[in-house]
Amino acid sequence: MNLPAYIDLTVEDAVLHLDDDMQAHLELAITEADNTTAAGSADLWSAAYREAVNSFEEEVRSVILKGESIERLFTSLEETHAKNARDSLFVRGVQRLQAPLRNLKLALDMAGPLTSIEPIAATAVGVVSVVTAALVLVYKDLLNFYIAAQKIMTSKVFVLALVCDQLRQHLPTIISGFLKHAALLKTRIGNAMLELVADIKNLLQENKIQKLLGVNKDEQRSQYHCELRGLKASDACKWIVADSRFRGWYNAPTSERLVIFGNMGCGKTIITAHVIEELIHLSKYRLPRPLICYHYCVDNETGKVLYIYSSLVLQLLNQLEGLKVGFDKWYENTRKSELFSAAQSSVDLGNYFSTCVETLNRELFIVIDGLDECDSESQKELVNMLDSLSKKTPRLKVFFSSRPQERIESLLQGSTEIRWVPTRERDAIIVGHTVKRFLSEFPAAIRLLVTERLSGLAQGSAIWVKLTVELIQKRKIQAMGPMKKFLADMPSPAALSQLYAKLFAHQVRDDADNEQLASNALEILAVARRPLSILELGWAVSLNDPYAEVRTVEALKDYVDEKRALSLLQPFLSQVDFQDVKKNQVKLVHHSLKELILRGVPSNWTQSQTTADERRVQKRQPELEAAMLRVCVKYLLLDDFNQSGLFSEEAETVQELHELPGFGIFDDVGHDDQQLDSRRDLEKKQDAKHLYYDPSERGFGEFFVYASCFWVDHFKVSALEFLPDTSSIVKLCRAKSKRLQNWTAQNCRPDCTILPKFDLDSDYLDPLVVVSLFGSEIALKKFLQDYNVDCKESLTNSVEEIVRQIIRSHNISQLRILYRDTQIGPRIRTLAFFCRIMGAWARPDRYGDSKEWADLFDLVVDIFDISIREEWGNELLCQAVEYGCLPIVERLFEEAAHNTAMRDELLRDPQRDSGFRLYKHQSVGEAVWNNRVEVLRYLLQQDGIEVHLRHRNSAGYNVFHTAARYCNPRVMSLLISYFREGVEQTSNAGETPLSLVAFTSSSTVESRESAKMLILAGADVRAGYTDEPSNWSEPLRMAARHGDVAMCRVLVEVGGANPRSVLRIGDDGRPSLMDPGVSEELTSEVLNTLCSLAGMHVPA
């Protein structure tokens, strides 16, 4: 059967050219019993096909769903004329779809798992709907083709002529529509692919940022803020925003700082939460809308400046999405150049935050609650950073809350201050709110009595009110008489410690075991670096059990009783979710309780406070830190941690794959909408299988995470006399041990993320390295007394490694201790040691203050004798000059002034060609080569330096030759004033300094000025050449070749060079340059200039 040319294909060809999924649905989906069965699938192709089928009338759908008809249709059409089938319009349309459809399906499959873990799911669903709409049109075209052909093939008037007429009538329109819709689908797929790729990239970037800055920081901050909102009595807080000082700060056109001072327990944090709420509310009515970042310092961890910066940066990135790309680039660039994680450096992260804020075009409010909760170094760094930032940006408003302390008031000098003063009216509002919240089931008369009595006694102490009302709730006193007696016996707010003591006595009920357990638990919480989980608290307390002499995690489990510990501590804890035993949430109810614990054991709480309390805290806190350190070390020394790894082989493989860019997008997740919704509801639990791990599942127990991450923090601040013995530390940190690998792997994953938050490679650690990096100065000194650096637990290159690590970690004080140590010191008093030191000093982002570096440089005194004996004093001088380290140079020459042997060693004149750089120079030449002007000035003033000034390296270069590198006029001037005759000396290759200046010239002012100075000092403008008319290597000829017009002028006008010597006259009388130039344009300019200087006619 001969069909018209415009439908020259077989249906089999058309089907074969479809994507496998499209082909399957065209052939098989039609034979399904009904549409409802297919509706259960979320497959893109089935959904589009069903929609296309349902778009037809019932009569037509019945034809489509008649399975045997399509088979007969294909068989009949297969017998048609097919000689041009491969080149038909229809086939070409299908071919156009094949690749993009396959790519789209891959992208959607890849995006599948992402939809379950991020808000990007909505975008993926939107992409599917857009593409599905276009795909429906294509399916409809295919079905129209099928219907038209089926009607023709089954018609009772089926004759060839009629077939041709009907085909001419129906199919051109169908095929045209198919091609049009295929093109539309391809376009939409392309757009969808771009959107998906961008969204996937954004998601991966978001995950990376969260891991670097802290997975849970935003959630914890928001959750704490929401808790405060629930506690807040708004009417008691309104005064702050009505205060004229607050309004002046808020409305100021320039950067301002406001601080509210209030005594402990007065409710500063609640007031701060109200300020935040008010700022959020007011921001809705300002254009452009201000940015708001806030942070609560509530414990040791959140009070660290690094944690604060991480929180602020996270909030800034979340409010300004465009900054995330910049953060990613900044982190990667810094990591590559500095070889450490910038997100773990408070200085680097603070600088990044400052840079971002400086570029903002809108107002930024920063609210910091509890500045007094921060350690002194964090307070200083944070305030100084914000001070500096306020001077650089005109629209920064900073709000602090703090207890009035002399140090903090000094730091915040110049701020607008609000001193919190209690009022009876405000106390009544707070008491009424608290009574309503905790005593709602008590009789109204009792509530009224409590409200009236406490309102008169509160004296502004919100924490006293809360504790008292909670105690009433626990006592369940509902009779008027007993309540009046209870209220009469209650300690006043001034005696808050007595209230805590009363609560403690009520909890332990004169039981010695309960008292010991509760005391231990409170002490653990007082020094814990972050909130503990319920399980962590139970495990930590069990380790203090004197009977718990165990060797394995399994054996320790028998002593863990977290429910008992929690029941005893309940009045002393912030709100706890008892159902989530793994959540880091257990913390003390208030800072006043922490200070009370640090003052003494609960049995002493009833004693009146004295001026000796502060001294008692200073002594007791290091003791409690050491007690917590011993708990952590005892746990980590359990046998389990030296026998099995933290990660299984499978988990290690997953970890390696996760480090590959974009690996997470290949996770296998279904596409069912209901399933996706369910997965979003269980996001954390599902993510844990892919992004997180649980050490307890490896048999590591519930305290492994805390012990691994924070034992080093407790180690740094522990009292010396209570430290674990040296053998325990050595066992914990034994080089290459499984135990060391395990706790270091966990230490750099504090949030239990598959990818580490920072680098801590156990391959480069051993006991000495760990103690030096993480211990205090006194701990290191004690450790060195008992430690043998050559023991089997050490690295073979332990000493070299510790120097490298300490310099990298910027711990200058520890370096001095090692240097003075009788065992370690002799091994590091070397040239290489001081080169490392000077290299660190020469960095642009040099750490440490000038006094620290001065103390470190003073150590050079100890190596004078050995540097003379081993003849590396001269090399030390040259290296110091190369780094520009004038402090070392000065110390060396100060010693040489009265030590002849040192003077002779420094001023030796050997060739220094070893190393990666050939033709090195002596000290003066190194200063010139590296453009160290001040060092050069100092050297030239030293007696006997002439030997280095006149030194010529193995290439014959003198100091003037090396000066051609930078052509610094100040350097040239100094050299000429001390060594004028050197301007005409030639190298081994016959080069003069002027030749090199002309050769290296880049048409700069400096090079022209340097050439002029050399010429005026007596340099031969022809560099000693006598060839006529000129030599290839003459300065003028080189300058002409290079197109350096300005240099040509200097050589001719100042040096008297003959411009005609670099010109040649052609047969036509026209001048031209002797040598071809670097470009036609420059050649023309040079030629014109030289002709003009020679008084010749300038060629047109």
Side-chain angles (χ1 to χ4, degrees), residues 449-450 453-454 457 464 467-477 479-491 499 502-503 506:
L449 174 64
V450 172
R453 178 65 175 160
L454 298 188
L457 296 174
W464 178 85
L467 291 172
T468 301
V469 173
E470 287 181 345
L471 183 57
I472 292 172
Q473 183 190 41
K474 288 182 179 297
R475 292 284 180 90
K476 301 185 181 347
I477 305 173
M480 192 63 73
M483 181 59 75
K484 287 181 179 180
K485 184 178 185 308
F486 174 85
L487 293 173
D489 294 341
M490 278 300 299
L499 177 56
K502 197 168 187 177
L503 283 168
H506 178 267

Side-chain angles (χ1 to χ4, degrees), residues 892-946:
L892 291 174
F893 276 104
E894 286 168 4
E895 175 67 13
H898 58 79
N899 184 337
T900 304
M902 173 58 76
R903 179 176 177 277
D904 292 342
E905 169 58 27
L906 293 181
L907 297 177
R908 283 194 304 113
D909 190 27
Q911 294 294 344
R912 300 178 53 247
D913 285 343
S914 61
F916 68 91
R917 199 186 99 217
L918 295 177
Y919 310 129
K920 287 183 177 181
H921 230 274
Q922 271 300 324
S923 63
V924 176
E926 285 298 324
V928 173
W929 176 260
N930 292 282
N931 207 28
R932 310 292 189 187
V933 181
E934 295 307 315
V935 177
L936 174 63
R937 194 185 310 278
Y938 177 85
L939 288 173
L940 292 176
Q941 295 170 357
Q942 305 308 308
D943 291 338
I945 199 66
E946 290 79 10

Side-chain angles (χ1 to χ4, degrees), residues 1023-1066:
Y1025 292 103
T1026 58
D1027 308 46
E1028 293 297 339
S1030 62
N1031 185 279
W1032 168 269
S1033 300
E1034 284 188 33
L1036 181 59
R1037 195 156 166 181
M1038 282 192 291
R1041 274 199 310 275
H1042 296 162
D1044 192 344
V1045 176
M1047 181 62 71
C1048 291
R1049 284 191 173 277
V1050 169
L1051 295 172
V1052 173
E1053 295 177 344
V1054 178
N1058 181 6
R1060 294 177 179 265
S1061 65
V1062 296
L1063 300 175
R1064 64 159 51 96
I1065 307 299

